[in-house]
Amino acid sequence: MLHFAFLIPLFPLVGFAILAPVGKRIGNPAAGWIATAMVFASFIVTIIVLAKVASMPADSRLYVQNWFTWFSSGSLSIGAGIQVDPLSLTMASFITGIGSMIHLYSIGYMEHDEAFPKFFVYLNLFVFSMLMLVLGENLLITFLGWEGVGVCSYFLIAFWFTRDSAASAGKKAMIYNRIGDAGFLLALFLLIERTHSLTFTTIFSRLSSLSKGELIAVSLLLFVGAAGKSAQLPLFPWLADAMEGPTPVSALIHAATMVTAGVYLMCRVSPILHLAPDAGHVIAWIGAATAFIAATTGCAQTDIKKVLAYSTVSQLGYMFLAVGCGAYDAAVFLMLTHAFYKALLFLGSGSVIHAMHEEQDIKKMGALCKVMPLTSLTFFIGWLSIAGVPPFSGFWAKGDVLSNAWVVSPALWAVGALTAILTAYYMGRQYLLVFLGERRWKSEGSEAIHPHDAGWKMSAPLIVLSVLATFGGLLNLPFGSKLAFLDSWLAPVVGASLLHNTDSTAQLWFFGVADGVFALAGVAIAYSLWRNVVDRSVLEPRFLYMAWFIDSAIDRLIARPSTALAAFSATVVEPRVIDAAVNGVAGAFRLSGQRLRRIQTGYVRSYALVIVSALVLIVAYFMVRSGL
Amino acid sequence: MPVSLPAIPAIVTGSLASQHAFPYLTWLILAPIIGAVLVVALPKDLVRLIRSITYLSSLAVLGITAAVIDQFSTKLAGYQMTSTHEWAPGLGISWSIGVDGISLFLVALTAVLFPLALYGVAPSRNVKAYSTWMLLLETGCLGSFVSLDLMLFFLFFELTLIPVYFLIASWGHEGRNRAAMRFFIYTFVGSAVLLVGAIALAFLHQAQTGVLTFSIPQLEMTRLSGTEGVLLFLAFTFAFAVKAPIWPFHTWSPDAYAEAPASGSIILGGVMAKLGTYGIIRFDLGFFPHATTMLAPIFLTLGVIGIIYGGMVAARQRNLKRLVAYSSLSHMGFIVLGAFALTGASVSGAVLQMVNHGLYTAALFLLVAMIYRRRKTFEVSRLRGLQNLAPVMAGIFTVVMLASIGLPGLNGFIGEFLILSGTFTAHRWWAVVAVTGVVISAVYMLWAYQQVFHGKVTEDERAAAFPEISPRERLVLVPIVVLIVFLGVYPKPVLDRIEPSVNQLVTHVLQIDHATPSAAYHSSVSLKLGK
């Protein structure tokens, strides 16, 4: 069974290879169905492999498949191959599972788009890259997938490339990612220097050859890469702009899968992080700060997708908080449940945008629950889930992160708890403004719109995802190791959970009640403030709307000075320094010897003659010599 | 005194058997010349026949190259398929040619790019002269890469100069005369210094051994004092630094690349730039290991400056050809970095990257020429939204652009990766700074792509037809794209052939560098003799 694992990334690759050349001829909707079938096939294989691996003893759940040597140099040999273990299978199953649903949804969502087949070309390529990222048996295959998803994200953000904002957003995303990649690459170089390998198992067995400082350096450099990909401080501004892409893209790439790649990477290299606790503190605090800042920013957004974008940044912050605390299983748990409810919320917002004829301003919506009952209900579930209202999945996952944070530092826990209240609040504000309150759109007259729930292709994924968002907590209940399926499943890869060594029933209940209170408090505040009110400018200050001006600060402090430096190089250094120096030298020669002027008259030609005739002579000589 | 020892280096004797085999390399050099002679003999107006002969001779080169790659053994580090004939024994000059892992794929690159350039972007004016110059240029490039005699190398190296001058001056764009002149003066000065250096080296070798020779393997065994080494190193490196170009000797290149006809830009950026870095690796590392090691930090720094400065200036260009020219300066900086980092990985990466850079730079110049053919402009401000009109061309441009940015899975990545990781181990902080090149290249390439291909097209622009890429253009671009993908996914066969030669060279450099002057001589000899 296990040797079929290569099919997992192969199916979407085949989809890409079919659709890229002939997708246009296959057309709409067949191209979409082929793409969806490929991802679904890959999901089936993943589940089969997962079942097989689960049936093996816990300590032997690792299967490496080497396809060929990608390249080698000296003692370094990089294979192209995949590694099947609990972590990679967990990732692969939700990527292909949620991926197939979003593919299905897209067939409905994109049905009127001229470039329908191209959309699925990119989507299949994305799924392939994402699977290589999580399945790669060495860091360079991970990097291959890492860059692949980055490029697909660039293609898909700029999908409607005739819009300048979309084209610029795509470019911005790619450049921010490249900044992170520079860190990633340096980490790879350091690992190669010290361990002569990039294969995960080999690196981990040779960690003793890294000094303490080097371990911290590798951890933090990889985190720089992760911060770029997963939109952590200060590399997060691209994610809000990325909402220029079609909404299924936001759901798949910028919520459920690609942006969690950084979290995956941290979990994958947990043996390194484990030896660098100082790096862990940095990661935890950056995660907590990102979670808080993004949550406050989410409170002031008016674009339905930007609220969700900042909410994603905030949730990713939680995941890094967990990673920094050494609670990798909690990070993966939150990643999974987040994939459920955030994909649900994004797809729901897509249905709303579709129904509202591309309107994205929540202030212009309202009272949609009557005309879009299914979307409204599923979005409601998404809200309660992300808010952490028990017993929805977010409650269990966020609770897991917070109680782990408490073990490391109560201060971290406090930031996380505050963010939890904010999360319930800003999502509540969004829900109330979109689905309840006054109707703020025209149902009569020339600009009238008649919003309604979408067809089954867009509704079915909403239903499946809301079921997952509701019951996702069952994956990892904190009531003893028998119910903590995810913890024990991941333990061979990321080590045993921190918490279970220390917690007591009293503590468990204390945190459970506290988390529930935070969630309900946020919900209640939102309800009391936004039930019937559309404008509360005090609660939507420009400072928060502009995301603490971090984007502007980066623009002022880095982008503009670099642009100025480039301009200076191009317009001053190049012509007036370097070229002037060369001309000066040439001029000096010209003065000292007027003969050189002949270069400008006939010298080139005579020189040419000399060289050509010399060559002819050589050739002739050899022809004679060798008796031709 | 082991004076007579170096007379028959092992490298040459090791493959004596191939002397009697078919003289592939000689024919490789002769094929374009024969084509050129035929073309010269034909009357001007038989354009079709002239073109056919030109294509055929360049395809013959490609065929012979395929045979050479097929015959090439991955097990040998030294020169293969050598053939040596006395030419001017009194002057120590011989017709000595051969390939090793360092030159093999540069020959292949030349053999691939010439037919594509000839077929893809031929001017309609004065075809006879154009074809003659192009074929002579191909001979010059091939001859430079396979010469095992320094004087022979010099002749071929110079031979490239004249055709390029005329290609720019006769078929170039508006500023062609100035650009051609600058190109000529710059490289000519470089060559003059190189010639002086070459002769001086031969005389020093003669003084030590009593033998006057320009044989490259033998000259590698010359003992040089510190000062001699440094002076000769500088003489050689100056010529190569101009050719590559290395910052700050580059100012001729944006003019020449931009004003040259498309085929000229392709060959200048794709092949001839590599003559510079090839020269550095072959001669600086081979002849002056001590000086190279000593002065490496300076050239590493110049390489890094080139990467960043070239990228930044590229980001300010509004002319597509100039943008590609400055991007080339930036990418050549990586190759310089790899060469002077002097580790097996970095030098192998540099050699591989020469091939990679040649492929995607050629493709970029081809694409820019195709845009020019349709819109008669290189100005970014006058182009936009082309993806609406020509999605296939946009797709190919995207692949090539991503290769140049260094996306894993495409060819640009592995070269850059090996260069940087090799540099990192030997000269950490240069690699750390150079990594920023990864970000900068994305900035200017994506900017250019957005300006040219993204955005709306107005009705006027739609009316001014921008035809989709033609079958002929496809035929030219597809082979490069295939190679870009192949070398990105499976570079192993290429690296396997590059590595033995590079490792031998790097060992040679390090042994000489770490040994005392007299011991250096012996270790060098024993190395050459295979111990």
Side-chain angles (χ1 to χ4, degrees):
Chain A
M1 284 304 184
L2 288 182
H3 50 267
F4 287 123
F6 71 95
L7 290 173
I8 299 174
L10 187 66
F11 276 119
L13 181 65
V14 168
F16 166 76
I18 294 172
L19 294 178
V22 295
K24 226 176 194 167
R25 251 167 280 167
I26 294 174
N28 178 353
W33 285 111
I34 291 177
T36 310
M38 288 300 169
V39 180
F40 190 71
S42 157
F43 175 66
I44 301 287
V45 178
T46 310
I47 294 303
I48 294 172
V49 173
L50 190 140
K52 174 72 188 162
V53 170
S55 72
M56 294 168 14
D59 52 354
S60 60
R61 286 173 186 163
L62 172 69
Y63 169 70
V64 176
Q65 190 171 56
N66 256 306
W67 299 334
F68 58 91
T69 304
W70 185 7
F71 66 91
S72 62
S73 168
S75 58
L76 177 71
S77 176
I78 305 288
I82 56 174
Q83 165 174 333
V84 167
D85 72 356
L87 180 60
S88 64
L89 283 175
T90 308
M91 298 297 296
S93 52
F94 91 84
I95 291 161
T96 51
I98 294 181
S100 4
M101 271 179 283
I102 292 173
H103 273 67
L104 175 65
Y105 180 94
S106 307
I107 298 176
Y109 191 87
M110 300 299 288
E111 67 186 344
H112 301 302
D113 201 288
E114 277 176 37
F116 179 92
K118 195 176 73 179
F119 184 75
F120 287 93
V121 170
Y122 293 155
L123 229 47
N124 264 198
L125 183 63
F126 169 78
V127 174
F128 165 73
S129 309
M130 190 70 207
L131 288 169
M132 290 310 292
L133 194 167
V134 298
L135 288 167
E137 60 101 14
N138 61 61
L139 268 167
L140 215 59
I141 295 289
T142 298
F143 190 69
L144 170 90
W146 187 268
E147 294 285 279
V149 293
V151 164
C152 293
S153 154
Y154 161 72
F155 291 152
L156 285 162
I157 295 169
F159 188 74
W160 289 314
F161 61 85
T162 49
R163 276 206 318 242
D164 286 338
S165 55
S168 299
K171 185 180 66 182
K172 183 172 179 177
M174 181 101 166
I175 291 169
Y176 268 93
N177 270 291
R178 293 295 276 191
I179 296 170
D181 295 345
F184 197 138
L185 281 171
L186 289 174
L188 298 187
F189 301 151
L190 194 50
L191 282 171
I192 290 174
E193 184 186 315
R194 289 288 166 230
T195 67
H196 306 286
S197 177
L198 287 178
T199 307
F200 289 115
T201 44
T202 319
I203 300 173
F204 298 153
S205 66
R206 294 180 187 165
L207 284 180
S208 54
S209 49
L210 274 83
S211 72
K212 194 148 182 61
E214 285 166 342
L215 286 166
I216 293 176
V218 168
S219 307
L220 290 180
L221 286 168
L222 286 173
F223 176 67
V224 170
K229 187 81 32 190
S230 299
Q232 295 298 290
L233 276 175
L235 300 177
F236 75 89
W238 67 270
L239 189 61
D241 291 24
M243 297 298 119
E244 288 287 340
T247 305
V249 169
S250 314
L252 178 64
I253 300 184
H254 304 118
T257 57
M258 182 188 84
V259 290
T260 61
V263 182
Y264 161 78
L265 179 68
M266 294 289 104
C267 295
R268 177 54 79 198
V269 300
S270 55
I272 303 178
L273 293 181
H274 194 69
L275 297 174
D278 292 344
H281 288 131
V282 174
I283 295 169
W285 274 106
I286 290 181
T290 308
F292 178 73
I293 289 175
T296 57
T297 306
C299 296
Q301 300 302 309
T302 53
D303 181 313
I304 186 169
K305 286 179 74 179
K306 292 223 165 145
V307 177
L308 294 177
Y310 283 109
S311 141
T312 304
V313 175
S314 174
Q315 297 281 312
L316 290 164
Y318 270 121
M319 294 176 214
F320 283 100
L321 167 59
V323 163
C325 295
Y328 307 101
D329 39 9
V332 175
F333 186 27
L334 184 60
M335 186 201 299
L336 283 173
T337 57
H338 174 257
F340 302 152
Y341 55 69
K342 190 53 68 60
L344 170 64
L345 290 166
F346 262 117
L347 295 186
S349 78
S351 293
V352 169
I353 294 165
H354 217 59
M356 297 292 294
H357 293 229
E358 310 305 315
E359 179 59 64
Q360 297 190 195
D361 188 344
I362 52 177
K363 302 277 168 113
K364 294 181 183 162
M365 296 179 181
L368 284 176
C369 69
K370 287 168 202 154
V371 287
M372 302 181 72
L374 179 78
T375 310
S376 169
L377 176 68
T378 52
F379 207 94
F380 183 70
I381 291 172
W383 168 31
L384 296 187
S385 198
I386 190 175
V389 172
F392 293 94
S393 58
F395 167 75
W396 305 102
K398 199 185 294 170
D400 199 1
V401 173
L402 287 179
S403 43
N404 275 290
W406 175 268
V407 175
V408 173
S409 149
L412 283 171
W413 175 85
V415 177
L418 189 56
T419 306
I421 301 173
L422 286 169
T423 307
Y425 163 76
Y426 68 72
M427 287 305 300
R429 168 178 172 271
Q430 182 184 36
Y431 186 82
L432 293 161
L433 285 174
V434 172
F435 291 101
L436 300 177
E438 296 274 301
R439 175 167 58 78
R440 297 181 294 279
W441 38 274
K442 287 183 183 161
S443 61
E444 283 155 33
S446 58
E447 291 164 40
I449 48 171
H450 304 284
H452 55 84
D453 278 324
W456 74 272
K457 291 189 287 272
M458 287 169 69
S459 302
L462 292 179
I463 296 169
V464 176
L465 287 168
S466 50
V467 171
L468 290 170
T470 308
F471 298 106
L474 292 174
L475 285 172
N476 208 26
L477 293 176
F479 307 117
S481 57
K482 283 212 175 121
L483 288 175
F485 300 110
L486 196 65
D487 283 1
S488 37
W489 166 245
L490 292 175
V493 185
V494 300
S497 176
L498 267 186
L499 191 63
H500 295 267
N501 305 325
T502 54
D503 62 352
S504 64
T505 317
Q507 218 173 4
L508 195 69
W509 278 99
F510 169 75
F511 281 119
V513 171
D515 295 340
V517 168
F518 298 148
L520 291 171
V523 169
I525 297 169
Y527 188 73
S528 62
L529 289 173
W530 294 99
R531 189 181 30 181
N532 281 316
V533 184
V534 180
D535 274 313
R536 286 188 186 274
S537 42
V538 182
L539 293 177
E540 297 166 341
R542 199 171 148 69
F543 176 71
L544 295 185
Y545 180 75
M546 297 296 289
W548 297 38
F549 293 109
I550 291 169
D551 197 10
S552 323
I554 293 174
D555 189 48
R556 289 260 165 82
L557 296 175
I558 297 168
R560 284 194 214 170
S562 325
T563 314
L565 184 60
F568 181 75
S569 307
T571 56
V572 179
V573 179
E574 185 73 0
R576 293 202 211 137
V577 179
I578 300 177
D579 220 20
V582 172
N583 287 339
V585 173
F589 273 107
R590 204 172 302 158
L591 280 179
S592 66
Q594 289 292 322
R595 282 186 310 142
L596 276 173
R597 291 230 159 176
R598 286 176 57 206
I599 288 175
Q600 282 172 333
T601 54
Y603 199 83
V604 172
R605 271 158 223 272
S606 46
Y607 188 74
L609 198 67
V610 170
I611 293 204
V612 173
S613 34
L615 209 90
V616 169
L617 282 176
I618 301 169
V619 174
Y621 177 78
F622 280 109
M623 284 181 156
V624 172
R625 258 192 70 98
S626 52
L628 273 171
Chain B
M1 283 297 285
V3 167
S4 58
L5 253 180
I8 310 165
I11 289 168
V12 178
T13 48
S15 48
L16 262 181
S18 60
Q19 287 252 5
H20 304 289
F22 185 78
Y24 290 107
L25 297 180
T26 306
W27 282 103
L28 193 70
I29 296 170
L30 285 182
I33 290 192
I34 294 170
V37 168
L38 287 174
V39 168
V40 168
L42 285 170
K44 250 184 179 169
D45 42 357
L46 291 176
V47 172
R48 291 192 59 164
L49 186 61
I50 290 175
R51 287 220 165 113
S52 312
I53 290 174
T54 316
Y55 297 151
L56 276 179
S57 25
S58 69
L59 286 175
V61 170
L62 188 60
I64 297 170
T65 305
V68 170
I69 293 178
D70 179 55
Q71 300 277 309
F72 191 86
S73 161
T74 53
K75 295 187 184 67
L76 299 174
Y79 296 106
Q80 304 186 26
M81 286 168 251
T82 53
S83 94
T84 304
H85 300 268
E86 280 191 347
W87 176 23
L91 297 172
I93 305 171
S94 61
W95 172 271
S96 178
I97 52 179
V99 283
D100 68 353
I102 296 168
S103 53
L104 178 66
F105 292 100
L106 295 170
V107 169
L109 177 70
T110 313
V112 168
L113 290 187
F114 267 91
L116 295 177
L118 283 165
Y119 185 71
V121 285
S124 51
R125 197 162 44 79
N126 211 347
V127 174
K128 179 175 163 175
Y130 173 81
S131 305
T132 315
W133 289 127
M134 282 294 279
L135 289 172
L136 281 179
L137 181 56
E138 182 166 19
T139 290
C141 293
L142 291 168
S144 306
F145 289 131
V146 299
S147 293
L148 298 187
D149 183 285
L150 187 53
M151 209 36 82
L152 194 62
F153 168 84
F154 183 77
L155 284 175
F156 282 121
F157 189 72
E158 289 306 283
L159 176 63
T160 61
L161 192 52
I162 309 307
V164 172
Y165 173 82
F166 284 106
L167 285 172
I168 298 176
S170 313
W171 288 272
H173 298 284
E174 262 158 41
R176 57 182 178 270
N177 284 328
R178 187 182 122 90
M181 188 53 65
R182 274 165 69 93
F183 163 78
F184 186 84
I185 294 175
Y186 253 104
T187 40
F188 180 69
V189 172
S191 306
V193 180
L194 174 62
L195 181 62
V196 173
I199 293 172
L201 178 64
F203 283 164
L204 283 170
H205 183 266
Q206 186 187 23
Q208 281 167 24
T209 61
V211 183
L212 178 62
T213 178
F214 284 94
S215 156
I216 291 168
Q218 293 190 42
L219 289 178
E220 280 181 12
M221 282 162 235
T222 315
R223 272 176 301 164
L224 297 169
S225 74
T227 320
E228 287 164 355
V230 168
L231 287 175
L232 287 175
F233 170 90
L234 290 176
F236 275 71
T237 312
F238 178 67
F240 300 137
V242 168
K243 205 84 167 184
I246 296 178
W247 190 92
F249 304 105
H250 66 276
T251 48
W252 64 271
S253 70
D255 283 343
Y257 288 21
E259 302 299 342
S263 54
S265 317
I266 292 166
I267 301 307
L268 273 170
V271 179
M272 289 180 63
K274 279 67 200 182
L275 283 175
T277 40
Y278 170 78
I280 287 171
I281 292 177
R282 174 73 76 214
F283 301 118
D284 283 351
L285 272 58
F287 293 161
F288 321 114
H290 193 72
T292 306
T293 322
M294 198 170 81
L295 297 177
I298 295 172
F299 286 87
L300 289 167
T301 308
L302 294 183
V304 171
I305 293 177
I307 293 170
I308 293 170
Y309 178 90
M312 288 192 128
V313 177
R316 297 300 296 181
Q317 298 307 307
R318 298 297 175 260
N319 173 306
L320 277 177
K321 266 190 131 177
R322 285 184 171 270
L323 189 144
V324 178
Y326 280 105
S327 90
S328 199
L329 174 65
S330 180
H331 287 286
M332 292 307 287
F334 275 105
I335 297 170
V336 173
L337 189 69
F340 281 100
L342 297 172
T343 64
S346 76
V347 179
S348 298
V351 174
L352 181 63
Q353 194 61 359
M354 285 194 234
V355 178
N356 293 333
H357 173 261
L359 289 172
Y360 60 68
T361 301
L364 283 174
F365 278 128
L366 279 167
L367 283 158
V368 169
M370 289 169 191
I371 293 172
Y372 183 82
R373 191 181 290 159
R374 289 162 169 81
R375 280 284 158 83
K376 298 281 170 270
T377 185
F378 295 121
E379 290 304 316
V380 168
S381 57
R382 294 177 57 199
L383 299 162
R384 82 179 133 174
L386 297 187
Q387 194 174 333
N388 295 292
L389 308 172
V392 176
M393 182 193 274
I396 294 178
F397 196 102
T398 305
V399 174
V400 174
M401 164 180 87
L402 294 175
S404 93
I405 292 177
L407 189 83
L410 300 177
N411 68 343
F413 173 68
I414 289 158
E416 244 174 58
F417 184 83
L418 287 175
I419 289 170
L420 286 171
S421 76
T423 307
F424 187 86
T425 42
H427 302 275
R428 177 161 303 176
W429 297 106
W430 279 274
V432 171
V433 180
V435 163
T436 52
V438 169
V439 182
I440 298 173
S441 67
V443 171
Y444 62 77
M445 286 311 286
L446 295 181
W447 176 85
Y449 188 87
Q450 184 185 355
Q451 299 300 312
V452 174
F453 285 96
H454 284 160
K456 274 198 186 68
V457 277
T458 60
E459 284 309 310
D460 287 353
E461 284 163 337
R462 203 175 279 276
F466 190 92
E468 179 58 287
I469 189 167
S470 70
R472 185 188 177 114
E473 290 171 332
R474 227 175 263 228
L475 192 62
V476 175
L477 287 172
V478 164
I480 304 189
V481 171
V482 167
L483 284 171
I484 281 176
V485 175
F486 177 78
L487 289 176
V489 175
Y490 197 55
K492 192 171 177 295
V494 175
L495 271 171
D496 282 351
R497 285 164 176 76
I498 292 175
E499 260 208 312
S501 304
V502 165
N503 286 343
Q504 174 176 290
L505 181 64
V506 170
T507 317
H508 164 77
V509 173
L510 297 182
Q511 283 198 350
I512 298 236
D513 183 51
H514 291 146
T516 58
S518 64
Y521 180 69
H522 294 286
S523 64
S524 156
V525 169
S526 61
L527 177 72
K528 293 291 166 191
L529 292 171
K531 306 246 163 88

